[in-house]
């Protein structure tokens, strides 16, 4: 796996993600461990200090799967919100976990459960809670 770009994480998101990691089921353990690595290496900032080009929880983003040459628009959500967000992708899904904290233009190589890797590029952030001053959502 290649070097991962630096990431920035909202302090409230980091606390909520740590709770998800701590209570992860056996089937989610691989993603939970990867997410924990990301939290450990990420720069944690207060919500009002998050730059507008950073993927935070509940951000709607356009990204490209460079491995399969597919572009997607998804909203990064917590698992409990999947049913209520039409284009949601869970942060506990392998690709969802890869997106947190990246900036527009970043490319990341990320392991998948089937012993392969995916390369993802963040193309745009259409909506970000912090940009809309929704700091406690």
């Amino acid at each position: 796996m290649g070097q991962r770009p630096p990431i920035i994480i909202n302090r409230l998101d980091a606390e909520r993600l740590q709770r998800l990691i701590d209570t992860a089921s056996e089937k989610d353990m691989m993603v939970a461990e990867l997410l924990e690595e990301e939290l450990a290496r990420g720069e944690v900032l207060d919500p009002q200090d998050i730059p507008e080009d950073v993927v935070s929880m509940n951000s709607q983003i356009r990204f490209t799967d460079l491995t399969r040459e597919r572009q997607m628009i998804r909203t990064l959500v917590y698992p409990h919100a999947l049913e209520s967000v039409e284009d949601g992708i869970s942060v506990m899904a392998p690709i969802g976990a890869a997106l947190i904290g990246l900036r527009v233009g970043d490319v990341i190589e990320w392991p998948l459960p089937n012993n392969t890797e995916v390369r993802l590029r963040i193309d745009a952030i259409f909506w970000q809670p912090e940009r809309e001053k929704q700091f406690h959502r």
Side-chain angles (χ1 to χ4, degrees), residues 31-85:
V31 173
E33 288 171 0
L34 288 167
L35 204 49
E36 193 157 44
E37 287 174 22
E38 292 298 273
L39 287 181
R41 74 179 191 86
E43 180 182 1
V44 178
L45 298 178
D46 286 332
Q48 60 271 21
D49 297 329
I50 297 292
E52 293 184 2
D53 65 343
V54 170
V55 177
S56 62
M57 291 304 301
N58 300 303
S59 293
Q60 184 185 51
I61 60 174
R62 183 179 68 222
F63 63 97
T64 301
D65 175 341
L66 298 169
T67 309
R68 294 171 190 83
E69 297 180 4
R70 281 185 53 207
Q71 198 170 70
M72 292 167 263
I73 296 174
R74 297 286 184 269
T75 299
L76 186 62
V77 298
Y78 294 101
H80 71 269
L82 266 178
E83 288 182 18
S84 61
V85 178

Side-chain angles (χ1 to χ4, degrees), residues 1-131:
M1 185 165 45
Q3 185 174 358
R4 294 179 184 168
I7 60 171
I8 298 172
I9 301 177
N10 173 329
R11 181 179 47 77
L12 297 175
D13 289 347
E15 292 167 4
R16 292 172 182 143
L17 291 169
Q18 188 61 56
R19 283 195 293 273
L20 272 179
I21 292 163
D22 292 343
T23 60
S25 66
E26 189 63 37
K27 76 174 182 63
D28 291 334
M29 201 49 66
M30 178 191 154
V31 173
E33 288 171 0
L34 288 167
L35 204 49
E36 193 157 44
E37 287 174 22
E38 292 298 273
L39 287 181
R41 74 179 191 86
E43 180 182 1
V44 178
L45 298 178
D46 286 332
Q48 60 271 21
D49 297 329
I50 297 292
E52 293 184 2
D53 65 343
V54 170
V55 177
S56 62
M57 291 304 301
N58 300 303
S59 293
Q60 184 185 51
I61 60 174
R62 183 179 68 222
F63 63 97
T64 301
D65 175 341
L66 298 169
T67 309
R68 294 171 190 83
E69 297 180 4
R70 281 185 53 207
Q71 198 170 70
M72 292 167 263
I73 296 174
R74 297 286 184 269
T75 299
L76 186 62
V77 298
Y78 294 101
H80 71 269
L82 266 178
E83 288 182 18
S84 61
V85 178
E86 190 173 316
D87 67 350
I89 183 169
S90 172
V91 71
M92 290 301 286
I95 289 178
L99 300 172
I100 189 76
L102 294 176
R103 296 182 97 136
V104 173
D106 282 349
V107 174
I108 191 167
E109 292 180 11
W110 195 257
L112 296 176
N114 58 0
N115 291 322
T116 62
E117 282 190 352
V118 65
R119 287 184 72 230
L120 305 171
R121 181 185 65 224
I122 305 299
D123 299 320
I125 298 177
F126 296 128
W127 192 86
Q128 182 209 54
E130 293 82 0
R131 188 167 61 206

